[in-house]
Amino acid sequence: MTTRETWGTRAGFILAAAGSAIGLGNIWRFPGEAYEFGGGAFLLPYLFAILTAGIPLLLLEYTIGRKYQSGPPSAFRALYRPAEGIGWWQNGIAFFLATFYAVIIAWALCYVFFAPGMAWGDDAGAFFGGEFLQAGEPLDFFEYRPIMMAALAAVWALVLLIMAGGVRKGVELANRICIPLLVVLFGAIVVRALTLDGAADGLDAFFTPQWDKIGDYEIWLAAYGQVFFSLSIGMGTMIAYSSYLRKRSELSTTAVTVGFANSSFELLAGIGVFAVLGFMSSESGAPIDELVGTGGGVAFVTFPTILSQMPGGAFIGVLFFATLVVAGISSLISMVIVPFSSFEDRFGWTRKKSVLVLGVPMAAFSLLIYPTSNGSSMVDAVDFAVSGYGLVLGGLATIVLAFATGKIKSLAAEANRTSMLKLGTVWYACLALTSVVLVYTLFRSVQGQIADLSDPAVANELIYINWGVGGAMILFGVVMTVVLYRRPLPERVEEEASAPV
Ligand code: PHE
């Protein structure tokens, strides 16, 4: 019999949960999404999604994790035996997400070293796609890029070291270092950005609402997608993290704090990035909308271009890419914890065993597939399977399960035992509404992909890779459910539930 480790302090859990939420999604993904989907008008569906879907689901995952004190498969099994597979399927999502997320952190790490000498010269776009990625055909596997490999190996070594330290001396400690560091680094960048000439024009472009877009279903989908990714919900991450809470810990204000911290960071990132774009537009005369690419474009192409023109650009560049690395590492840990907690709780594995049997192969897979000339197309294909479907479907499954098993009320009661804000009708209504929106989201996104198949401009092989990854994850979930159906959960010493503190 084993006893499980717990977070050292309440702040430790909040920092870790915030560290998970605040990541590349805030800095790398949000500004581009917001801009593309209506600027100021995007903020409305975004806030709506945070309040009605994000925070309620965060609370649901916290409650499930704390109640069953196990990683996702065992927690879902405790909720309803045949549902164990949902947790294993989430392991699949975590596996694919972590293995490519690490790659983007590795790119940023390379750029920390490129920044002082502005290695990208005067064509950051050609440098990124050409010299750095040496982007080739989507199916050119195994043409390795040594610098990227080295950076990726360093990222994985650090993450596995942190994981080996366990909950308190690993994850909690890492977040205690990462979060303050992030605030300082990022604060410096935003202040610098706001003092550049033209910053106000950039902010204007960012916040000007394009109200005509508000009726588009796409902006709503984008908002929900962003909220799921950004708050790290739908993948069991928060079930795993909250499984290390003590039974008497508070949940509701914690969820609100994490949600608020994450959104603040997201808005700040938007403000910082657009202030800088405003500067560039005033320097070059190009309109702002021509400067914005999405995703990798802003961070690895537009930003470096601007850095070259900015007084003190090299220094800001180091800060910016270091911010991406720090924010990314604290999120990557929270992805890796999903399989770690799952196998440890289901099979009684030790942490050392998880590092060797799960961590090392994950790192190896990541190193084998991505630091190659087709790495960036693979990132896109897998990103869609994970962020486009995985998280949303995972969130939906969690809600449906809580209602269908009739356990939603007892979960609310369990949360209310220690929570300041009481969960009740409003919470149920939000979750129900979210599930309707999610079903619609999924439907539209499958429709979109089917339409893409007949579009000659879209590479079909990437769609097949996307479906293959999606299918492999589901298959894993089903196989694990069947194989483990009769195998009971390992026994362990239960902590007594006591009055809140
Ligand atoms: N929230 C993280 C980010 O914004 C990504 C993430 C998604 C982390 C899902 C864990 C689980 O970058």
Side-chain angles (χ1 to χ4, degrees):
M1 281 205 252
T2 50
T3 11
R4 276 176 109 238
E5 225 191 326
T6 57
W7 300 103
T9 59
R10 173 154 188 249
F13 171 69
I14 295 182
L15 287 176
S20 167
I22 301 169
L24 303 175
N26 301 57
I27 307 167
W28 175 69
R29 199 170 185 275
F30 176 79
E33 291 281 301
Y35 185 75
E36 189 183 341
F37 293 101
F42 180 79
L43 298 180
L44 201 76
Y46 166 79
L47 283 176
F48 182 82
I50 293 262
L51 294 174
T52 62
I55 308 252
L57 248 164
L58 207 53
L59 278 164
L60 180 60
E61 292 203 7
Y62 282 179
T63 310
I64 293 176
R66 190 189 66 175
K67 181 169 165 71
Y68 299 112
Q69 310 227 304
S70 323
S74 310
F76 281 117
R77 181 182 172 102
L79 211 51
Y80 178 55
R81 203 204 275 197
E84 177 170 348
I86 297 175
W88 290 116
W89 163 63
Q90 287 178 325
N91 269 264
I93 306 177
F95 174 86
F96 284 109
L97 179 55
T99 46
F100 90 74
Y101 198 88
V103 178
I104 302 169
I105 303 175
W107 292 350
L109 183 58
C110 293
Y111 270 68
V112 171
F113 293 98
F114 295 160
M118 309 263 179
W120 46 81
D122 23 76
D123 192 345
F127 177 81
F128 180 62
E131 205 169 316
F132 181 58
L133 294 179
Q134 298 196 352
E137 293 301 308
L139 294 187
D140 285 349
F141 282 98
F142 313 126
E143 287 172 17
Y144 291 105
R145 311 283 310 113
I147 322 170
M148 237 188 268
M149 274 190 109
L152 187 57
V155 167
W156 277 110
L158 178 62
V159 165
L160 294 185
L161 196 72
I162 294 170
M163 294 310 292
V167 176
R168 290 188 196 187
K169 295 213 183 95
V171 179
E172 189 167 337
L173 182 65
N175 280 290
R176 278 183 189 280
I177 298 169
C178 282
I179 301 288
L181 194 61
L182 211 54
V183 172
V184 173
L185 286 172
F186 205 63
I189 297 172
V190 173
V191 169
R192 178 71 188 103
L194 286 174
T195 52
L196 289 167
D197 290 339
D201 299 335
L203 297 189
D204 237 27
F206 183 45
F207 286 114
T208 303
Q210 302 163 32
W211 290 121
D212 52 316
K213 291 201 180 165
I214 196 96
D216 276 2
Y217 80 91
E218 279 184 340
I219 124 170
W220 290 84
L221 303 191
Y224 274 81
Q226 176 62 28
V227 165
F228 271 64
F229 189 80
S230 188
L231 281 176
S232 317
I233 45 187
M235 202 177 81
T237 306
M238 285 301 142
I239 296 182
Y241 263 7
S242 52
S243 73
Y244 300 109
L245 281 170
R246 292 202 189 83
K247 288 222 163 166
R248 57 177 193 272
S249 13
E250 212 282 336
L251 297 179
S252 62
T253 50
T254 305
V256 174
T257 310
V258 170
F260 185 75
N262 183 56
S263 290
S264 314
F265 221 92
E266 211 141 60
L267 289 173
L268 264 185
I271 289 172
V273 167
F274 275 84
V276 171
L277 291 175
F279 162 78
M280 179 156 178
S281 154
S282 77
E283 291 285 287
S284 66
I288 290 180
D289 56 355
E290 277 176 23
L291 302 175
V292 194
T294 39
V298 176
F300 295 105
V301 178
T302 317
F303 234 82
T305 310
I306 301 171
L307 292 170
S308 307
Q309 302 169 11
M310 190 198 286
F315 181 61
I316 293 291
V318 174
L319 291 189
F320 175 73
F321 291 109
T323 308
L324 280 179
V325 173
V326 173
I329 294 278
S330 59
S331 299
L332 182 57
I333 302 171
S334 76
M335 300 170 188
V336 176
I337 199 100
V338 171
F340 276 45
S341 64
S342 297
F343 280 84
E344 286 164 12
D345 292 328
R346 191 65 176 99
F347 303 112
W349 286 14
T350 58
R351 181 49 59 98
K352 196 167 144 202
K353 183 162 178 187
S354 304
V355 171
L356 292 175
V357 182
L358 297 168
V360 172
M362 265 171 112
F365 179 86
S366 183
L367 280 160
L368 189 72
I369 300 294
Y370 295 101
T372 66
S373 62
N374 70 344
S376 64
S377 344
M378 285 299 291
V379 165
D380 287 346
V382 175
D383 181 30
F384 199 67
V386 172
S387 325
Y389 295 98
L391 299 184
V392 171
L393 208 54
L396 180 65
T398 314
I399 299 177
V400 169
L401 195 66
F403 278 96
T405 55
K407 297 249 168 83
I408 187 77
K409 283 217 162 118
S410 62
L411 288 170
E414 160 70 15
N416 289 343
R417 192 169 53 72
T418 63
S419 291
M420 291 187 18
L421 304 169
K422 299 295 175 209
L423 303 183
T425 319
V426 176
W427 190 53
Y428 306 148
C430 285
L431 291 174
L433 172 71
T434 303
S435 63
V436 174
V437 177
L438 297 187
V439 168
Y440 180 69
T441 304
L442 287 165
F443 178 73
R444 293 306 294 241
S445 106
V446 172
Q447 238 182 8
Q449 275 207 327
I450 291 176
D452 278 352
L453 277 180
S454 49
D455 179 349
V458 180
N460 282 352
E461 52 270 53
L462 292 184
I463 298 185
Y464 296 135
I465 289 176
N466 184 234
W467 286 354
V469 166
M473 299 188 299
I474 293 177
L475 187 68
F476 180 62
V478 172
V479 169
M480 290 299 268
T481 312
V482 173
V483 172
L484 296 173
Y485 196 73
R486 288 183 189 288
R487 180 179 170 139
L489 294 172
E491 283 184 44
R492 68 157 104 101
V493 183
E494 283 295 329
E495 181 209 358
E496 273 302 303
S498 56
V501 280

